Amino acid sequence: MSVITKVCLPLDPQQAETLTAGTPVRLYGSLYTARDAAHKRLVQCLAKGEDLPLSLKNELLYYVGPCPARPGRVIGSAGPTTSGRVDSYTPRLLAEGLRGMMGKGDRAPEVVESMKKYKAVYFTALGGAGAILAAKIKRAEVFAYPDLGPEAIYRLEVEDFPAVVAIDAFGNNLYREGREKYIRR
Amino acid sequence: MREISVSLLVETISELCLEANLVLNADLYRALEKAVEEEESPVGKECLSNLVANADAARQNQLALCQDTGMVVVFAELGQEVRIVGGDFEAAITEGVRHGYEQGFFRCSVVNDPFLRENTSDNTPPVIYTRIVPGDTLRLTVVPKGFGSENMGAVQMLTPAEGKEGVKRFIVNTVLKAGANPCPPLIIGVGVGGTMEYAGLLAKKALLRPVGDKHPRSDLAELEDELLTAVNNLGIGPQGLGGRITALAVHLEVYPTHIAGLPCAVNLSCHSLRHKTKVL
Ligand code: SF4
């Protein structure tokens, strides 16, 4: 595997452009969580011309609905969910300045086109590894939409959080390239 | 008549929910360890060894194996010589799920209605399948089913003429379409025969077999092997990032069916296949 790149959050737009598909990274800093229901609200909010509850400029959205924290702990298990379910909302959020996303699984062509247009990057974290990923989250607070329960928007602080660049700002795609190497026809 | 109280039922379901979400079954743990050895892709190898580490971390730190602690499916085999006393059978199972999820600090992922979509906040109701069987015991199996993989399953009413080839094509296409979404490496449950909904149930039950155990019928065991090879040739690999091991096992179950039909269902499970059983 290639050398691991340190990425600070919120993202630096210049660094975001240099991250190429397949690069293993470690994330440091703050990010926001959002799943299906939160995406729906954010996009409805924009459609009505209202202000979002958070500024998305250069932020990273992590697609996760964590388990609740046991007493004395920061958070419960917190691995990524399937990204494809928010594909229909993503281009609108990228237009608002969203710079990064993290989840699992491939993205729709419209998302990749918007990523190229707005120079955004899509990371993947290990799906089903919520117990080891939880240890990389140092702070967690509900930031918006608390009524959504596990689907609320949380603000998380992460340290040494492992991920891989799955789709870069030029549309290179690790899912396609990775599979090409191992397919037997 | 042997009597089993609903309070014992509540307690047992609660325990099974806790154990299933915190402790990976030994057969699956071994299958993952073996996959670490066999995977050729370095990225895939690393994913797999992290999954083994995740199972260790979950057990040691009392954290759910995966944050998607699923919708709970309960299989109950109720001996016909057992009488349930002290309350309502299904309500007790539901109460057990509620209690287990609260105790475990597990995520509540169930919404009250497919359109209204309000979280019920206690992960109930579960989906319950009860069979009445001979005997005086109650066998309970709890399956917290994650939806990253559940969403990628499919049912197809094939024609008898399509036969085994049709079944193979359908399964391989389902896995291909699923790609990285269901968190490979997968365990693939296949149900063939019966009626439309029964094929789906067979597919889910097929997931409960110890990982990699073959079907006792040799022609079906062979078909399972062929399917596993075909699926692994897709190159999807661990986490969909490319590799040899897209699935750890294909389990196939069959049932008699109608002269006109060949129902086929695929129920995909991620590597985080969780189920625990207890006999009362
Ligand atoms: S598919 Fe399985 S491992 Fe992946 S997030 Fe869902 S429950 Fe967890």
Side-chain angles (χ1 to χ4, degrees):
Chain A
M1 280 184 78
S2 16
V3 277
I4 293 168
T5 303
K6 182 177 169 179
V7 173
C8 291
L9 303 173
L11 286 148
D12 166 17
Q14 262 137 35
Q15 188 189 26
E17 272 197 63
T18 66
L19 295 168
T20 53
T23 308
V25 298
R26 294 290 181 272
L27 305 175
Y28 292 82
S30 73
L31 55 80
Y32 293 97
T33 72
R35 289 178 51 98
D36 317 46
H39 272 77
K40 188 172 175 188
R41 282 202 193 169
L42 290 173
V43 169
Q44 275 173 350
C45 191
L46 290 168
K48 282 191 247 161
E50 293 167 6
D51 285 341
L52 292 180
L54 71 168
S55 157
L56 290 175
K57 197 163 165 43
N58 295 328
E59 293 293 347
L60 181 138
L61 284 184
Y62 179 21
Y63 307 142
V64 57
C67 281
R70 281 182 185 273
R73 301 259 185 93
V74 175
I75 200 164
S77 276
T81 192
T82 306
S83 309
R85 288 197 317 272
V86 298
D87 278 351
S88 60
Y89 304 114
T90 299
R92 185 67 191 88
L93 301 185
L94 287 168
E96 288 301 302
L98 178 68
R99 186 71 55 186
M101 299 151 289
M102 179 160 65
K104 65 174 170 98
D106 207 350
R107 307 304 301 264
E110 311 85 81
V111 172
V112 180
E113 281 317 304
S114 296
M115 286 172 61
K116 282 155 70 177
K117 180 167 170 197
Y118 296 108
K119 297 280 169 268
V121 57
Y122 170 57
F123 302 93
T124 184
L126 183 53
I132 49 180
L133 294 175
K136 308 294 184 183
I137 298 170
K138 303 302 170 188
R139 273 191 65 171
E141 61 191 13
V142 176
F143 190 84
Y145 308 145
D147 59 301
L148 293 181
E151 295 211 71
I153 294 182
Y154 286 71
R155 185 175 175 280
L156 304 183
E157 266 170 43
V158 298
E159 239 177 70
D160 195 34
F161 192 102
V164 182
V165 180
I167 304 175
D168 63 30
F170 299 92
N172 298 304
N173 184 322
L174 180 61
Y175 291 107
R176 295 220 184 112
E177 290 161 18
R179 199 183 145 228
E180 268 318 300
K181 272 192 235 163
Y182 293 94
I183 189 170
R184 285 178 170 144
R185 289 186 168 94
Chain B
M1 276 305 241
R2 195 183 148 218
E3 294 192 341
I4 293 180
S5 71
V6 287
S7 56
L8 179 62
L9 194 52
V10 172
E11 198 183 297
T12 307
I13 293 288
S14 168
E15 269 168 28
L16 291 173
C17 288
L18 281 162
E19 229 190 293
N21 277 300
L22 297 173
V23 185
L24 199 70
N25 287 338
D27 55 333
L28 182 49
Y29 189 94
R30 277 194 304 271
L32 285 172
E33 280 184 322
K34 189 163 153 253
V36 177
E37 298 303 312
E38 287 172 3
E39 179 54 62
E40 290 168 27
S41 142
V43 182
K45 232 184 189 7
E46 196 185 314
C47 288
L48 292 163
S49 60
N50 282 331
L51 294 178
V52 175
N54 187 69
D56 295 337
R59 202 185 50 241
Q60 282 153 17
N61 304 328
Q62 296 283 290
L63 280 164
L65 285 155
C66 180
Q67 76 291 335
D68 183 356
T69 43
M71 182 165 198
V72 178
V73 180
V74 177
F75 290 101
E77 285 180 11
L78 179 63
Q80 61 194 27
E81 274 138 66
V82 175
R83 212 162 72 90
I84 302 293
V85 294
D88 176 322
F89 179 70
E90 293 206 346
I93 292 178
T94 302
E95 181 55 30
V97 171
R98 183 179 293 126
H99 188 258
Y101 274 65
E102 196 187 305
Q103 290 288 302
F105 291 85
F106 298 149
R107 194 181 84 188
C108 296
S109 312
V110 175
V111 291
N112 64 339
D113 178 281
F115 298 114
L116 305 174
R117 306 201 75 81
E118 231 173 82
N119 199 306
T120 60
S121 299
D122 59 6
N123 219 46
T124 70
V127 173
I128 305 170
Y129 297 104
T130 306
R131 276 182 64 212
I132 310 286
V133 296
D136 66 352
T137 60
L138 171 59
R139 188 172 198 269
L140 294 166
T141 299
V142 163
V143 191
K145 186 65 172 73
F147 258 55
S149 53
E150 189 71 1
N151 276 338
M152 306 316 289
V155 183
Q156 174 109 53
M157 302 305 280
L158 297 163
T159 63
E162 289 172 286
K164 270 190 190 167
E165 284 314 308
V167 166
K168 267 200 248 172
R169 206 178 323 117
F170 172 57
I171 293 163
V172 173
N173 279 336
T174 304
V175 175
L176 180 60
K177 256 201 267 169
N181 291 355
C183 288
L186 310 172
I187 292 91
I188 301 173
V190 181
V192 187
T195 46
M196 188 188 76
E197 86 293 348
Y198 199 68
L201 188 58
L202 283 176
K204 174 134 294 111
K205 281 192 175 165
L207 293 176
L208 306 181
R209 203 195 291 167
V211 176
D213 267 20
K214 303 267 177 250
H215 196 284
R217 238 176 75 185
S218 65
D219 58 327
L220 297 179
E222 219 169 275
L223 183 56
E224 288 175 342
D225 281 342
E226 278 173 43
L227 282 165
L228 184 60
T229 306
V231 160
N232 284 338
N233 283 347
L234 293 172
I236 294 168
Q239 223 205 335
L241 300 177
R244 295 283 171 231
I245 301 177
T246 302
L248 298 168
V250 178
H251 296 165
L252 189 130
E253 295 294 337
V254 295
Y255 194 78
T257 189
H258 188 278
I259 45 174
L262 181 57
C264 180
V266 189
N267 194 199
L268 298 180
S269 173
C270 49
H271 56 75
S272 199
L273 170 58
R274 289 150 285 178
H275 59 91
K276 295 282 183 215
T277 299
K278 192 168 181 183
V279 181
L280 295 178

